[in-house]
Amino acid sequence: MIKCLAIDDEPLALEQLANYIKKIPFLELVARCQSALDAREIMECEVIDAIFCDINMPDLNGMDFVKSLAVPPMVVFTTAYSEYAVEGFKVDAVDYLLKPFGLADFQRAANKVKARYDLMNTAVVSTVDEDNAIFLKTEYKVVRLSISDIRYVEGMSEYLKIHVEGQPKPLIVLLSMKKMEERLPNFFMRIHRSYIINLKKIQEVNKNRVIMDRDTWLPIGDNYKEQFQDYINTKFLGK
């Protein structure tokens, strides 16, 4: 199931959006939100795969909300103003629904969300093999990657940057953080919504940051501090 939020400041529009989501069998409505700020609170506590979001809202409009997210989910914008279409696709929106729209229009947008979701979750084409390696689809080819060479994984919208030992540029993969996290062995840990690290590659821990090398300082997210501290405690020597 694709976990979704419905976001619209107009109660009737929000109710319609929520009802449409409920009619699509592969979508799961996690919550309906009357502001982007309400949506942000939910997304800080729960992984959301897709949002159906109005653009014109008070306090924080939908476009600025998406731009503010370090790792945005899939986005379908809904609005009564067609001039936002080009800007919507600049932030890699899956689709754009012009109000008023019917169930058939919504179904087409939902199908695009599912197509991208399926692609994101099939980019890893094998589990870890006996040689401790995985195969990844990247740049129209399949590459074999040794798990132990991965330094850290960085979430970038619907893509991942996989930073590899000895390679100057990361591998870019269309894949969800959740799926990557599931495939990696237990010497990897998610320390932030945007980062999974190889625990064997840590050089230093400094307050709320993990130092991987002289040029790479990664933040520890509030939701991941306790788990990471528990790991550090198991390795800590001295008082």
Side-chain angles (χ1 to χ4, degrees):
M1 296 289 282
I2 300 173
K3 293 186 175 183
C4 304
L5 294 181
I7 311 170
D8 200 307
D9 64 306
E10 298 178 7
L12 291 178
L14 181 60
E15 183 67 23
Q16 182 191 55
L17 190 56
N19 287 337
Y20 283 170
I21 291 173
K22 291 177 181 179
K23 291 179 184 292
I24 308 299
F26 51 80
L27 299 182
E28 176 187 345
L29 179 64
V30 175
R32 58 188 78 189
C33 307
Q34 284 196 264
S35 75
L37 299 178
D38 291 343
R40 176 176 284 165
E41 288 185 7
I42 293 171
M43 293 171 68
E44 287 176 351
C45 302
E46 187 163 356
V47 175
I48 299 297
D49 300 309
I51 59 174
F52 294 84
C53 183
D54 186 29
I55 292 179
N56 284 335
M57 294 186 291
D59 298 325
L60 180 63
N61 72 51
M63 194 71 65
D64 290 339
F65 169 57
V66 171
K67 290 177 180 178
S68 74
L69 298 173
V71 185
M74 294 177 286
V75 180
V76 174
F77 283 120
T78 65
T79 183
Y81 302 93
S82 59
E83 62 266 25
Y84 286 112
V86 173
E87 189 176 358
F89 288 112
K90 284 182 180 178
V91 296
D92 200 25
V94 176
D95 207 354
Y96 175 96
L97 289 169
L98 187 62
K99 296 179 180 180
F101 55 87
L103 180 58
D105 295 321
F106 184 84
Q107 176 76 68
R108 283 191 289 271
N111 288 342
K112 291 180 181 180
V113 168
K114 186 175 188 302
R116 189 174 295 191
Y117 179 85
D118 290 343
L119 182 60
M120 289 168 61
N121 287 279
T122 56
V124 173
V125 296
S126 79
T127 56
V128 178
D129 65 18
E130 66 277 7
D131 296 322
N132 198 33
I134 54 175
F135 288 87
L136 298 169
K137 292 179 183 177
T138 178
E139 296 180 351
Y140 306 103
K141 59 187 176 182
V142 176
V143 298
R144 183 178 181 275
L145 178 62
S146 174
I147 293 289
S148 59
D149 287 340
I150 299 174
R151 298 176 60 243
Y152 65 98
V153 179
E154 180 180 4
M156 300 292 291
S157 186
E158 294 144 22
Y159 294 85
L160 300 181
K161 286 184 178 181
I162 302 177
H163 297 262
V164 181
E165 196 78 47
Q167 295 189 18
K169 293 183 178 181
L171 296 175
I172 308 298
V173 180
L174 180 62
L175 184 66
S176 68
M177 287 285 279
K178 180 180 178 182
K179 182 59 66 174
M180 190 68 182
E181 189 176 12
E182 290 172 353
R183 296 296 181 99
L184 291 172
N186 59 9
F187 57 88
F188 284 83
M189 182 179 291
R190 192 164 184 175
I191 62 165
H192 188 274
R193 183 177 177 85
S194 304
Y195 296 105
I196 300 169
I197 64 169
N198 184 337
L199 296 169
K200 297 180 180 181
K201 305 292 186 182
I202 296 173
Q203 290 190 0
E204 186 180 331
V205 179
N206 188 330
K207 296 182 179 178
N208 291 324
R209 296 180 296 183
V210 174
I211 302 171
M212 307 300 289
D213 57 48
R214 183 178 60 185
D215 301 316
T216 308
W217 300 50
L218 306 179
I220 304 170
D222 290 341
N223 292 337
Y224 304 91
K225 285 180 181 177
E226 184 175 353
Q227 180 187 15
F228 183 70
Q229 188 60 52
D230 288 344
Y231 166 77
I232 294 298
N233 290 341
T234 65
K235 304 293 183 180
F236 189 74
L237 295 178
K239 296 181 180 179

